Amino acid sequence: MKKIVLLLFCMLTALCVQAETVSSPNGNVIVNFQLNEKGIATYAVSYKGKEVIKPSTMGLSLDKVNFTNGLKLIKSNTSTFDETWEPVWGEVKHIRNHYNELVVTLEHIADGYQLDVRFRVYNDGIGFRYEPRSGNANFPLTYHTVMKEHTEFQLTDNHTAFWIPGAYDSNEFAYQTTKLTDIHALKCDKSAIGTNHIVGDKTIQTPVMLKSDDGLYINIFEAALIDYPAMLLDVETHNGYSLTSHLVPGTTNAVAYMQEPSSTPWRTIIVSDKATDILASKMILNLNEPCAIENTDFIKPQKYIGIWWEMHVPNHSSWDYASISGIRLKEMNWEKVKPHGRHGATTENTKRYIDFAAKHGFDAVLIEGWNVGWEEWSGLWKEDVFDFVTPYPDFDLDVVSQYAQEKGVKLIMHHETSGSATNYERRMSDAIALMKKYGYDAVKTGYVGRIIPRGEHHDGQWMVQHYQRVIEKMAQNNIMLNAHEPVRPTGLHRTYPNLLACEAARGNEFNAWSVGNQPEHETILPFTRLMGGPMDYTPGIFQQKMDHYQAGNPCQVHTTLTKQLALYVTMYSPLQMAADLPENYERFIDAFQFIKDVAVDWDDTRILEAEPGDYITIARKEKNSDTWFVGAITDENRRTATIDLSFLDNGMYKATIYKDGRDAHWKENPQSYQIEQKMVKRTNTLKIKLAAGGGCAIKLEKL
Amino acid sequence: MKKIVLLLFCMLTALCVQAETVSSPNGNVIVNFQLNEKGIATYAVSYKGKEVIKPSTMGLSLDKVNFTNGLKLIKSNTSTFDETWEPVWGEVKHIRNHYNELVVTLEHIADGYQLDVRFRVYNDGIGFRYEPRSGNANFPLTYHTVMKEHTEFQLTDNHTAFWIPGAYDSNEFAYQTTKLTDIHALKCDKSAIGTNHIVGDKTIQTPVMLKSDDGLYINIFEAALIDYPAMLLDVETHNGYSLTSHLVPGTTNAVAYMQEPSSTPWRTIIVSDKATDILASKMILNLNEPCAIENTDFIKPQKYIGIWWEMHVPNHSSWDYASISGIRLKEMNWEKVKPHGRHGATTENTKRYIDFAAKHGFDAVLIEGWNVGWEEWSGLWKEDVFDFVTPYPDFDLDVVSQYAQEKGVKLIMHHETSGSATNYERRMSDAIALMKKYGYDAVKTGYVGRIIPRGEHHDGQWMVQHYQRVIEKMAQNNIMLNAHEPVRPTGLHRTYPNLLACEAARGNEFNAWSVGNQPEHETILPFTRLMGGPMDYTPGIFQQKMDHYQAGNPCQVHTTLTKQLALYVTMYSPLQMAADLPENYERFIDAFQFIKDVAVDWDDTRILEAEPGDYITIARKEKNSDTWFVGAITDENRRTATIDLSFLDNGMYKATIYKDGRDAHWKENPQSYQIEQKMVKRTNTLKIKLAAGGGCAIKLEKL
């Protein structure tokens, strides 16, 4: 009898197809939500009348309920939101957050559990997320586990994709540019990183950048990744062209443990017929929550140098102090250990960097390798690698912090965890106490190596929670954060602007000791990894070729010197390193002037030209100033950057132009450059020749 | 060519059988070590000429080398050790540590890795452990992983075993008494504990107590479990009677991650032809390292009461404060939460307990449920369950700590972790700071629930390391520890005497809400769980039947009232609770006198009678006193305890005898008792009748 009633109930409520539609404020982006006769939910997206996402299934499987079919539509709500907010730091002074929202409430007919799907439709794309609720179920959903997410992105054609292979522990791969059908993740190079196990041949990382043959640019990613695993995408091209959510697992058969009220991160699709719009989009930021830090005075965009590149280049210094093994932190007497003599983070060397920073106006000096444990820091899956408070005998914290203070330079703390997050968490309070004692207000964290708790992954839920705990604990202590090897950022810096930058991609360092980053690399990063937030890419390498340090060494930075300057503008970050050695800057002191001058916080940004994998030209207006900076970069092909100066105010500007020499070439002659000054005004258009792998950097001062 | 050389080498070095023998100081226990022609190592044990352990294989599989065959004997060393040491607290004033040691150094012929097997042979049994070393291998063993341990205990016959089923997360099972061939772990009751998943039908826990038909008592266990998983035993009776090591796994395919110099815990076999010798053995303690705590003044054996039993009995109070769910600690305003009115740990109730403790001379009061989070503490696999610092609104820490101080009573802190060890570790510093602020010098920890890091087990390596971190951190802060639901203890209290007691077995609490502990339970525990260290069994329940609280409730304590008194002597612990409600003690104030009088630290101990599963009679001499206390207990059968008083000094003693009433019976009439006083001397022998499930407690004061 019960079954018959249930059947009747289903027939009455679910047998008809139900649909809802919501459009962007300007009407260009339209989302169609539909629930079919089986109670399966789908959505579809169009842009200016063109199909972007074909009807694609949505759903979430929890331990208690399968929100994949047998759903009925309980209600739907639409609303409009429009506000303009001011970021603590950013590319522009004000950000408009303007969207139309559709919330459909679905009920799992058999159980009564409910699922809200919340869509936000912007002029530049859409975000949606799942919000499971107890609804009318007999048992509350209060604590539940997510077994699988079923989000599809059915694409319309065999688009060109800019992608990296899917992995659970690393994003440090070279980008591939292929048709969807030609994705073979297992063929990708895994140079030099131990934790980059590739998940499968048809699994890729987000964000993925897509370009259709008919001129659409589509970026698929996620926003506000908190308390949930990161999303990879499984590619299927046998029957259409679909991408399906693939969540990073933990140590059990579930992917996430949730507490009601709970929601997934936003699944995002940014779309435009202009590549420049993708780079200008603020949708990811807008989908994050407003700033959660009450007093943000301690947060300061900044430029820094550091004892760091000298550990990457051949034949130079090292993080470690001695050639020993079998360290047990509790039992060590470091004063009795014989140093090998190549240790980089010595008191004297640190003073030298502090002097250089003070002389050239840098805000801070990062010192890596200051603390004991580096002799066995990597690859051992060891838990107690570092204690974060004990300096090597040749690094005098009292002396260097006093010296830095006298010179008006800040020191940046370094906490390499070696992936041992449990160890870091239990020692973090002591580590922060040390920072407070010595006046550090910023920390670079690192997660090189397999994660402890063993079996967890860098990008799984537990570690996402860990990074969040670190962000919040640092914020509570007025400390700025730069995380290396974390999960890729998803716009969380709106909520926690003390998170100045992350790595979570293949940085400049790869050029020092691997096949490196091909010249196109920096033209793709802004369309992919940087969609989620600033990257500590560490630009500014003037000595490109490693044979300078070691005869015959084939490694090199795959850009001209001038392109390194342009990166300070094209790779947005409020935290920029001048990564090369002080002595290299002394050799090219005129070019170095641009790094000294370039701003790190902005009132305005104009994406002048852009094509993923090919070129990017961006102009930015310095915060509280009339000065503009322009960066233009190209891939392995020469090109002429066209810089329409109409963004300038009326009046004359002095342009200082750092451009590639006539004979410059990233491989053959990277250090050929010219510096030119001329007067320009808003009606001018500059045409600047970029060498192969080259770039151009311009400072525009209002007279 | 290489292969031929290797073969020749093997033939020259390993083809002959090699043997080593070592005996106990008195010659009763003999260990024969042998390496056969395949390079497989075995050991055998005899006692007074009787075979105890038949030749049994030994071995360890690491990621780098398989120490299971292809071994050759490099060298062997024997030595003798004899010292007498004084425990910080204990059953006796001095402990003699007297053994003969044999160390055989084995080399894995193919690789050059070496394995020391260290045997220590005592008059009461043997211990051996594995110590893998790099030896002559090309690559150091510095960091290695243990994939499997291959330790066999080949028994001589189908012994009677006193066992509990093997589980990775709990030891809280009722004991089974069967022949080895009748072990069926999957048939065991799993009453009321959520984490007691049974591993398999033929896997049992250690320690296991064995009794042979020809009168040998054999206990198999381990000592000094540090930095390694706990050992279970797989039972095989198809071809002989063997027990094989089964290590608790972690989240990977390895069982332990080690750093050289490394060693396994000791695998122990205690043997005698007298059951009383098993209980008197100090071998487990002797196999642990000497005290590692410099100043032990803060460590004080003690008796306590607590707000605890009232949460176990029906219709009484609760740990939690309100009927709410979905708690997020960071967002809660507890002042606004409506209490349900049954909360036990209120300021007023705590004062009542403090008054009772002060009036009756107890050292301390434990208060459970004082801190927020108990509404959702169990079964949810939630990470941030407790913060260990926020009291419920009706518990005023200032008031109760001030009140306790004025009354000369200590408070015992309670840190229930709910199994979320990561959460505890990251909050432990703050939790300890709160303890220091309010003068707490002891803490009871708890681990009810599935472990976080998820996938780890209570008794796996990571958690063993966790418990050790807690022990050491508490020691550094001069805090005594009583751990509930940890791994079973293995004598670590020699090294860390701040570890006063553990639970790690089925305690008295089960009697309040389950089928309970059968009358034989307390006659087996000293032969099994207590071999590794004191248990916080929480004796002293005077109101046995739960229908006192709730009509018709069938639960009850499975002893007479008098047996509850006897447990203070038979269940050795330096930390003893008077677990029942104050009002129940007031009802039987004359019997309560024994609990008030009985000591918790001893200069001497005599095991007068003992048979596992049947009865135990023990006499103990109070520390720095001439007073003796005697406890005698029986199982479900009536018996007469024979108490030969020859352990007394010359002279007269006043004996106060608490014994079962004539009509006493654990089930029918548990509260029937008699108290009798008489003069006795060392030439007397007392014959005391114990009821079914009964006992007897005696205080002997020298006149």
Side-chain angles (χ1 to χ4, degrees), chain A residues 143 251 376 425-426 454, chain B residues 143 251 376 425-426 454:
Chain A
Y143 293 89
T251 58
E376 297 183 310
E425 290 200 0
R426 72 177 72 101
R454 292 191 182 89
Chain B
Y143 294 88
T251 59
E376 298 183 309
E425 290 200 0
R426 70 176 73 101
R454 292 192 182 89

Side-chain angles (χ1 to χ4, degrees), chain A residues 372-622:
Chain A
V372 300
W374 285 91
E375 288 72 15
E376 297 183 310
W377 75 289
S378 173
L380 299 170
W381 224 0
K382 178 178 175 177
E383 186 151 6
D384 288 317
V385 181
F386 295 108
D387 68 7
F388 312 100
V389 295
T390 307
Y392 280 119
D394 59 353
F395 183 77
D396 191 320
L397 256 173
D398 286 306
V399 169
V400 297
S401 59
Q402 177 71 25
Y403 193 77
Q405 201 186 343
E406 284 165 10
K407 296 275 184 170
V409 171
K410 281 279 184 183
L411 300 182
I412 297 178
M413 176 48 72
H414 186 230
H415 291 163
E416 174 57 50
T417 68
S418 189
S420 181
T422 47
N423 181 50
Y424 188 40
E425 290 200 0
R426 72 177 72 101
R427 296 177 189 270
M428 201 160 27
S429 291
D430 290 343
I432 289 174
L434 186 88
M435 289 179 65
K436 295 312 244 185
K437 178 178 172 190
Y438 287 104
Y440 288 80
D441 66 354
V443 61
K444 173 181 173 181
T445 56
Y447 295 88
V448 172
R450 282 182 292 176
I451 296 298
I452 302 180
R454 292 191 182 89
E456 297 287 357
H457 293 292
H458 281 74
D459 297 350
Q461 184 191 28
W462 198 89
M463 283 302 291
V464 166
Q465 292 168 332
H466 166 80
Y467 306 126
Q468 188 63 27
R469 280 192 287 269
V470 174
I471 291 169
E472 292 181 28
K473 183 148 184 153
M474 293 302 173
Q476 284 156 18
N477 287 281
N478 289 358
I479 293 171
M480 292 171 278
L481 179 61
N482 167 21
H484 276 234
E485 302 91 21
V487 71
R488 52 193 170 276
T490 54
L492 282 175
H493 54 290
R494 178 182 179 189
T495 315
Y496 301 96
N498 68 316
L499 178 62
L500 287 187
C502 295
E503 188 186 40
R506 190 173 173 103
N508 221 350
E509 65 189 19
F510 274 76
N511 284 312
W513 36 256
S514 79
V515 297
N517 305 338
Q518 296 310 304
E520 66 173 9
H521 189 64
E522 296 92 347
T523 70
I524 301 175
L525 276 174
F527 285 96
T528 51
R529 158 65 182 79
L530 268 60
M531 295 301 294
M535 177 175 177
D536 184 29
Y537 187 70
T538 67
I541 304 302
F542 282 9
Q543 180 53 52
Q544 286 80 18
K545 288 172 178 274
M546 295 301 124
D547 60 7
H548 173 77
Y549 305 101
Q550 182 184 45
N553 188 305
C555 296
Q556 78 162 98
V557 177
H558 292 59
T559 74
T560 63
L561 186 150
T562 317
K563 184 170 171 181
Q564 289 290 313
L565 299 182
L567 295 178
Y568 287 89
V569 183
T570 61
M571 299 273 276
Y572 167 68
S573 178
L575 181 74
Q576 289 282 22
M577 187 177 201
D580 210 339
L581 310 184
E583 48 268 42
N584 291 332
Y585 290 133
E586 303 279 10
R587 288 160 59 207
F588 304 98
I589 200 76
D590 56 350
F592 186 51
Q593 188 63 43
F594 183 82
I595 299 179
K596 293 168 64 172
D597 290 349
V598 69
V600 284
D601 201 14
W602 313 97
D603 271 342
D604 202 0
T605 284
R606 306 292 170 89
I607 314 295
L608 303 179
E609 305 179 298
E611 185 62 33
D614 293 340
Y615 57 84
I616 292 173
T617 305
I618 296 176
R620 301 191 198 269
K621 183 163 180 280
E622 183 172 15

